[in-house]
Amino acid sequence: MKGFGSNKKFFKDKNNLFDKDRLIIHALELHQKGNTEEAKSCYQKILKKGIADPRVFTNLGVLFQMENDYEKAIKFYKKSIISFPESHEAYSNLSRVLLEIGKYELAEKYLIKVITLKPDFLKAYQNLFNVYVKTNQRKKAGDVLQKCLKIAPNDPLIISNLGRFLLEENNLDEAKKYIKKAISLKPDFWIPYNNLATLEATIGNLMEAEKNFHKVIEINPNYLEAYVSLGEIKNDLFKIKEAEALFLKSLEIKKDFVNGYCSLFRFYEKTNNLIKLKKQLNIQDGNPVIKNELLMYRSRVFFREKNFSKAKELIDNVSLNWVGKTDVNTRLNFWSFKAFIEEKSENFNEAYDSFIKSQLNTKYEKCNKTEFRNYIINYEKNLHNKNFFLKRDSFFNKKHEVYFLIGFPRSGTTLLDTVLRSHPDIDVIEEKPVIYSLEKIIKNQFKYQLDEIYKLSEKEVEKLRTYYLENISKLSDKKNARIIIDKFPLQTVSLPLINFIFPKAKIIFVHRHPYDTVLSCFQQSFEPNNAMANLRSLRESSEIYDLSMKMWVKYKEKLSLDYKMSRYESLINNFEVHTKKVMNFLEIEWDASIKNYRATALSREKINTPSSSQVVQPIYKSSIAKWENYKTYFYDCHIFLEKWIKYFNY
């Protein structure tokens, strides 16, 4: 917001120039000293004298905009334009308040007028870029950024914005180049560090993201979103206490920081810390700023405590108008919470509709579900080359003690994981992308695609073995564990690589009723990626389930796997018998501590799957045959699932 100074060319009545000048200069001095109320009073006295001066109109507009009285701000900015229609700054001020209140079409109109009056006015182009970003006009936004670069080729903000824009376009290499250039131009500028942290988090470099978010806070300790973003990163890195401290710090800085409350409530719920969640909800009781957030998370607490009628009463009082306007994470959580509450109330149609809305994560727009399908198919191609088997057998020289827990998402892997890690001699590494790291080495260092595993040399395979064994060991919290199990359900499709490197690996394959598995996938709000993009509907989940199981059958038949089938329903219905069979397969004695698996789950600071709220509960059977409540919605899924009902003997 920019006000006019005391330039005398704006005065039209030459006879009263001295009186006007004296009055206006006095008002401007009050304004500049921060005496805004007195300045406002002086400006209004000037207007009552019939003095129509653009500086007065503009500065009153600025003051009212600072007070969020946008209607009056717009009124005075328009009067400024009328009194001085040649001023590009008058149009710029009006466009900025329109941008602030979301009237993007009008803001665009006035910004174009600004550029017509002053074609090299950088701020107008920057605001026009913001208009196009807000209205998702990506092509126009990119064009405007290029114009900004021509005007100011070394402006760190523009270069950083271009990097952020390219990041959102998923052009990661170019994005990083521009963001780092912005940092080199202005090393103490927090915005490019924030963009770099976001980029590193996007590609999974969490430690780099952590470092850069720390830099943001160091430079700008009042940027609250950095505390929340860094808290999320710390949570993903299992630095639970540090994550909590960051969320609390954001609220210490600003007591009405809504995103801070949402993040803190979500954090406590996801880490199963209901005691602290309830405490915070009680502390904030009656806080009008977060009225709907309080209703939503109180409802979730009652749901977790199995008071379903109270949970429904509260969730039904949440404003749907608020739901539509809140941030995407809170909105998705609301629909997920509501869906499960409606399900417990046996309102299955309402539950289904809510589950659909819980899948509307805009991050999926950057995902390509076809890429994951091609990834599966490319792996399978290795089996058609005889060199795959010849090399695998010739490279194998000793038995490595490696173990994998696989299956399909939501098939019961997390429950079995929790049970197994209750054994004093077993540790389970939960969904860490070590195999994915091997894939990156194969593609980036060895220059092979995943359908060319058979081209790997013995030296390259040994390097992959060493990398895997070293890294899986580092990830283990139980340093004396005799068995370390790598649990990652979708590594089912990576079995050709696993088998090529470790032909004698022990594989536990978990399965569950296909319809219940597919339903449970659809009901979860996964973190978006190419694989999870296939699980957003019953139909899509059924298709990818079918493809994955076809691969399992082929791999089981052709790879000579050392495997054990683990049926989820058997674990539920005959817990001790089933776990003893799994222990026999692992060649380890059954231990009574396995019965206390809930204590193991509750002692964990974080469970890194959507099952986190379920595995801490006693074994329950309500998840069996749950799909029958949604039978009508499976009408186009039977072609993919019926064969697996027979195959798994359900």
Side-chain angles (χ1 to χ4, degrees), residues 18 261 295:
F18 178 78
Y261 286 112
L295 284 168

Side-chain angles (χ1 to χ4, degrees), residues 37-48:
E37 285 303 316
E38 291 183 59
K40 189 195 294 184
S41 178
C42 281
Y43 290 140
Q44 289 170 332
K45 285 177 183 177
I46 291 167
L47 293 180
K48 285 179 181 178

Side-chain angles (χ1 to χ4, degrees), residues 160 164 167-168 179 183 189-202 208-209 211-217 219-220 223-230:
S160 179
R164 181 66 181 233
L167 166 60
E168 291 167 356
I179 292 169
I183 291 172
F189 188 26
W190 66 271
I191 290 178
Y193 285 107
N194 189 67
N195 291 340
L196 183 58
T198 303
L199 186 151
E200 297 291 5
T202 300
E208 283 298 308
K211 181 178 77 175
N212 283 292
F213 276 128
H214 272 297
K215 189 69 176 177
V216 174
I217 292 171
I219 298 171
N220 184 4
Y223 183 54
L224 298 175
E225 292 297 340
Y227 291 91
V228 168
S229 298
L230 181 56

Side-chain angles (χ1 to χ4, degrees), residues 181 216 277 284 294 338 391 459 471 526 530 650:
K181 182 180 178 182
V216 174
L277 176 56
Q284 299 304 323
L294 292 171
K338 180 173 173 58
K391 282 190 172 184
K459 185 178 179 181
N471 281 274
F526 294 106
N530 290 342
Y650 281 101

